[in-house]
Amino acid sequence: MNDQVDGRELEKISVEVAREAAELALAVRDRVVGARSVADLPTKSSATDVVTAGDEECEALVRERLGVLRPGDVVLGEEGGADAEPEPGQVRWIVDPIDGTVNYAHGLPWFAVSLGVEVDGRPLAGAVVEPVSGRVWSAAAGCGAQLDGRTLRASALERPGLAVVSTGLAYDPARRRRQAALLARMAGEVGDFRRQGCASLDLCSVAAGWVDGYYEHGLNHWDWAAGALIAEEAGAVVRRPGAPGSEDPDGLGAEAVLAAAPGIAAGLADLLRAHGVAEV
Ligand code: IPD
Ligand code: CA
């Protein structure tokens, strides 16, 4: 790793910039989104994958602020894509300007600005800020994870059969059906399920012990970059997807993200494999 890169400093910057974007997200929602039906919003990968003025304006703000505070870094963002491929040792910001856009567009309060920081593909720092509650989740690699300054710890549960597990469903209807079928097969095997609609906050919920585990297939890098580090730094076992087209060494599916309390992670993975996770 580049010795000049300080994870704590990057964590601070990620919090500062995510907070500014969170304020903007609320202002834009009041101005634009609430005034119209979600049916009128533009879409991306499918009819339900909406993009709002908030997504676009927040990402523009994040790019502008990072350009001032970290001019030598590169950015990968959900709306604007990659500005450049990182050089070896160069810092890369992974930006989800609004994670949980469907919640945002419908007036549900569970959405967040998520900023992850990596060097050579290794996570260094990240922040997830919730505009409505003002909660700030953050972490730096090797330094732990915090919610509003309080240290986070994943749950101490050891029985997968009692676990509350969060999951997500893809925008693509065919994949969503396969995911729902897996969920139906798993439904009798764990304590309960949640579908909260914001991957970064699902991962933060694992970090806080609010849920015991989370899995989802087909996320984009910006959905999990910050939250996966926050969960890991809180002691959760985290499995990230490989590079596109890469192998699936553990049978969970090459695109699986899984985060779970250490006492249930192996058991939850076994249950998913036994119930056909590979078909998702
Ligand atoms: C989505 C949310 C959702 C998850 C989807 C993501 P977006 O991100 O995190 O919870 O199930 O897979 O794409 O579109 O709201 O930024
Ligand atoms: Ca997202």
Side-chain angles (χ1 to χ4, degrees), residues 239 246-254 278:
R239 193 269 199 198
S246 71
E247 298 293 312
D248 174 25
D250 56 8
L252 289 172

Side-chain angles (χ1 to χ4, degrees), residues 113-179:
V113 178
S114 171
L115 303 189
V117 193
E118 296 180 353
V119 169
D120 299 329
R122 274 181 301 163
L124 274 190
V128 175
V129 175
E130 293 175 58
V132 175
S133 68
R135 278 190 289 252
V136 175
W137 309 77
S138 70
C143 300
Q146 290 94 43
L147 164 57
D148 295 333
R150 276 178 294 116
T151 301
L152 290 166
R153 247 12 251 165
S155 101
L157 188 73
E158 299 200 331
R159 292 169 59 188
L162 297 181
V164 174
V165 177
S166 200
T167 192
L169 302 168
Y171 289 116
D172 169 39
R175 187 168 220 182
R176 205 184 312 145
R177 274 190 213 102
R178 296 196 297 277
Q179 289 171 320

Side-chain angles (χ1 to χ4, degrees), residues 230-262:
I230 292 167
E232 199 163 57
E233 287 294 322
V237 174
V238 173
R239 193 269 199 198
R240 296 172 173 83
S246 71
E247 298 293 312
D248 174 25
D250 56 8
L252 289 172
E255 295 184 349
V257 169
L258 183 138

Side-chain angles (χ1 to χ4, degrees), residues 56-128:
E56 285 166 353
E57 291 188 31
C58 288
E59 184 161 322
L61 176 111
V62 168
R63 285 177 185 270
E64 188 202 310
R65 296 296 293 133
L66 291 178
V68 172
L69 297 168
R70 301 281 313 174
D73 300 349
V74 292
V75 177
L76 168 70
E78 172 162 18
E79 309 307 331
D83 54 6
E85 280 309 304
E87 303 288 335
Q90 193 176 19
V91 170
R92 177 154 87 146
W93 293 78
I94 315 288
V95 178
D96 197 337
I98 296 181
D99 186 30
T101 302
V102 174
N103 287 349
Y104 177 75
H106 280 259
L108 285 161
W110 193 243
F111 60 90
V113 178
S114 171
L115 303 189
V117 193
E118 296 180 353
V119 169
D120 299 329
R122 274 181 301 163
L124 274 190
V128 175

Side-chain angles (χ1 to χ4, degrees), residues 4-75:
Q4 306 306 307
V5 174
D6 174 349
R8 295 307 290 261
E9 184 56 28
L10 291 167
E11 180 186 1
K12 257 198 248 158
I13 294 173
S14 63
V15 167
E16 180 186 330
V17 175
R19 271 194 164 128
E20 286 182 41
E23 264 180 44
L24 178 64
L26 280 189
V28 175
R29 189 173 70 164
D30 291 346
R31 172 164 57 80
V32 183
V33 181
R36 50 197 301 193
S37 150
V38 287
D40 298 331
L41 294 172
T43 57
K44 294 187 287 186
S45 65
S46 83
T48 52
D49 185 4
V50 292
V51 50
T52 65
D55 296 271
E56 285 166 353
E57 291 188 31
C58 288
E59 184 161 322
L61 176 111
V62 168
R63 285 177 185 270
E64 188 202 310
R65 296 296 293 133
L66 291 178
V68 172
L69 297 168
R70 301 281 313 174
D73 300 349
V74 292
V75 177

